[in-house]
Amino acid sequence: MRAAFESQDMGKVLKAYRNHRRHLHLLGKALNQEVLGRWLGLTQAQVSKFENGKPEQNLQTLRSYARILHMPPHMLWFDMPGQTRLAARQSPDLLANSARPVDAEPTNLYVLRAAELAQFASGAGTADPLVWASRLADARAHFERMYRNSGGVVAGARIEQFLARQALPFIAGTAGDADVACKRAIGGLIALAGVCAYDAEDWASANSKFAQALRIAEMSHDYGFHSYVLALMVNQALALEDYKSAERLADMALRSSAAGPVTPLTIDLEAMRIKALASMGDSSTAMAGVCKLEVVLSKLPAGSGIVEASYAQEGHLQAQLAEALTSLGDLGAAQRYGQQSLESEGHARGKVNRLASMATIEVAKGEIEHASLLVHEMIDSAQGMESRRLIRRFLKLRAALAGHAAAVSRDAIDRIDSAITLAP
């Protein structure tokens, strides 16, 4: 990095930044030109030309890229507005972190020191990992709300941007408990990025992020987080109709958490396992699981164990049980739990999914008028959400309604068609 800055060539700086081993450590590969270009307002081809062509001389362009990537002012070969390189070099904070000459630093460490990298990553000027762990947790909560209200297509891009600009460059270089806290917090963000990729039906990207989050869970020895990530993988396997993998992953997660108390997350895992078993035709084992689950659900424990699994609340779990019962053909019991799920409070996205589940059950029972009313409410609740997974659910409902000639079903189909035309 230092050599790139000293070359006074922004193209070399961008290339060094993309290939920094902090990106390699967490992403498993260099930051690609397309992603970097999106941040800078360039195409992938323009980034490639920028990195391999003649050095950029336009001061406005140089300042723009330095500002976007939060480059340390004292490393630049040009002044930023209102700043001088001389003042930046003489900053007391930076001098305090520059006691050793550059030549004395071991070559196996990152060339930029921790304080400099923290500034490059965030512009916040703090290298306190415990502070960053707290900020990263706050960021995950912010992006989770964005995902629930706007969908994974929108939130996923923002999380990717945040991770590469601010979180990933800081993950290495800390130590001890602070190191674990930072990595664990970033693991939560990466898992949420995987959820958003799943929601956008970018299956390969979602699987890659879930694998990264699992590695962080193992490094952190956080078995609750490990089970949560496995639950995300089970959910994706069900969406892909890979029921064998879904049952295996759910069983793995349930066995790893067997020593601990029952939580809503373990109930969620058991419900997904039942759906997988029912879809594979193992009705007897699935029904035995339903009976066990009904008893546990009647004594729902408080708290999910970890903040990421806060979605596993009463309404969600009742909807999961309703879907499991639907898979087993017990529509009466499914309808009962589906109705109970709608009576529970929850976030906007959860409400859309619960309405979709209930409408599916009502169509299967021939209750077309009620199903159509639920569809209207579902579409209203989904306004502003850009989610390919929700669109896929809407399309399945549309196909189910298309077999009925009632006027109400045609109105519901029109509402679904209207929503689909806005799909990303």
Side-chain angles (χ1 to χ4, degrees):
M1 288 300 303
R2 189 175 295 281
F5 277 109
E6 289 176 352
S7 74
Q8 299 190 4
D9 184 341
M10 183 60 78
K12 291 182 179 178
V13 172
L14 297 183
K15 190 170 186 178
Y17 175 70
R18 287 195 310 100
N19 288 278
H20 197 287
R21 74 178 188 181
R22 292 192 177 195
H23 292 140
L24 300 175
H25 173 71
L26 204 63
L27 296 175
K29 59 182 179 180
L31 189 69
N32 66 48
Q33 292 177 332
E34 182 180 359
V35 171
L36 182 63
R38 211 160 48 230
W39 303 340
L40 301 178
L42 302 173
T43 64
Q44 181 275 325
Q46 288 173 321
V47 173
S48 179
K49 183 177 179 181
F50 205 95
E51 290 182 354
N52 299 295
K54 295 181 179 180
E56 176 64 50
Q57 300 297 326
N58 186 292
L59 182 58
Q60 185 176 357
T61 299
L62 294 173
R63 285 175 170 174
S64 173
Y65 295 170
R67 183 178 63 255
I68 291 170
L69 295 180
H70 304 293
M71 296 179 183
H74 73 286
M75 299 291 292
L76 302 175
W77 60 96
F78 53 89
D79 291 334
M80 296 295 285
Q83 296 178 331
T84 68
R85 284 162 284 165
L86 179 61
R89 290 192 187 102
Q90 293 177 344
S91 165
D93 290 339
L94 291 172
L95 288 173
N97 287 287
S98 304
R100 289 188 299 170
V102 174
D103 293 343
E105 295 197 16
T107 56
N108 64 331
L109 296 178
Y110 296 113
V111 179
L112 291 179
R113 288 177 289 273
E116 296 169 0
L117 276 170
Q119 285 185 312
F120 194 2
S122 69
T126 177
D128 185 341
L130 290 175
V131 171
W132 265 104
S134 176
R135 291 183 183 177
L136 291 167
D138 290 342
R140 193 208 64 81
H142 167 78
F143 289 124
E144 182 177 58
R145 286 192 295 272
M146 183 183 295
Y147 160 71
R148 288 175 172 179
N149 292 323
S150 302
V153 177
V154 173
R158 288 286 293 111
I159 297 171
E160 293 274 10
Q161 186 182 72
F162 177 85
L163 278 169
R165 280 192 189 178
Q166 302 196 33
L168 300 190
F170 189 73
I171 191 171
T174 57
D177 292 340
D179 177 58
V180 173
C182 276
K183 288 180 178 177
R184 171 62 180 82
I186 290 177
L189 275 165
I190 292 172
L192 183 57
V195 172
C196 291
Y198 156 82
D199 194 46
E201 296 192 339
D202 187 350
W203 312 116
S205 177
N207 193 57
S208 174
K209 288 175 174 61
F210 294 152
Q212 291 171 37
L214 272 181
R215 287 197 295 271
I216 290 175
E218 291 163 359
M219 287 188 297
S220 305
H221 304 291
D222 190 326
Y223 301 108
F225 182 56
H226 191 269
S227 294
Y228 160 72
V229 179
L230 284 174
L232 299 179
M233 298 174 74
V234 173
N235 191 50
Q236 174 158 298
L238 287 173
L240 293 171
E241 299 182 359
D242 183 359
Y243 302 119
K244 187 174 182 179
S245 293
E247 194 275 334
R248 177 179 55 82
L249 289 166
D251 188 60
M252 185 190 307
L254 288 165
R255 280 190 281 107
S256 69
S257 59
V262 174
T263 68
L265 177 59
T266 57
I267 296 174
D268 187 45
L269 279 161
E270 185 61 44
M272 289 192 290
R273 177 174 172 272
I274 290 168
K275 284 196 282 187
L277 289 167
S279 297
M280 289 190 293
D282 190 351
S283 299
S284 58
T285 306
M287 187 57 75
V290 167
C291 296
K292 176 183 174 182
L293 203 57
E294 286 182 304
V295 173
V296 177
L297 193 58
S298 66
K299 303 174 182 178
L300 184 66
S304 60
I306 60 170
V307 67
E308 287 89 352
S310 62
Y311 66 87
Q313 297 175 356
E314 187 174 12
H316 169 81
L317 297 174
Q318 288 166 335
Q320 286 280 61
L321 186 53
E323 290 179 6
L325 287 161
T326 302
S327 299
L328 289 165
D330 190 345
L331 297 180
Q335 186 182 45
R336 185 174 69 256
Y337 280 108
Q339 186 59 48
Q340 289 175 14
S341 77
L342 295 180
E343 295 166 2
S344 301
E345 296 294 329
H347 55 80
R349 184 186 177 84
K351 181 180 180 180
V352 174
N353 275 308
R354 294 198 300 273
L355 286 165
S357 295
M358 188 61 187
T360 301
I361 295 167
E362 294 291 66
V363 171
K365 285 182 64 66
E367 302 287 346
I368 305 305
E369 185 169 346
H370 189 209
S372 299
L373 290 173
L374 291 169
V375 166
H376 283 278
E377 187 178 356
M378 176 190 74
I379 297 297
D380 289 339
S381 299
Q383 287 187 5
M385 297 181 189
E386 293 197 354
S387 163
R388 292 185 184 134
R389 287 303 305 151
L390 289 181
I391 290 299
R392 184 67 60 92
R393 295 203 74 168
F394 296 171
L395 285 170
K396 286 185 177 180
L397 261 174
R398 187 192 190 286
L401 287 165
H404 300 272
V408 289
S409 65
R410 290 197 298 272
D411 288 342
I413 288 172
D414 288 342
R415 287 300 309 279
I416 292 174
D417 288 343
S418 178
I420 291 171
T421 60
L422 302 174

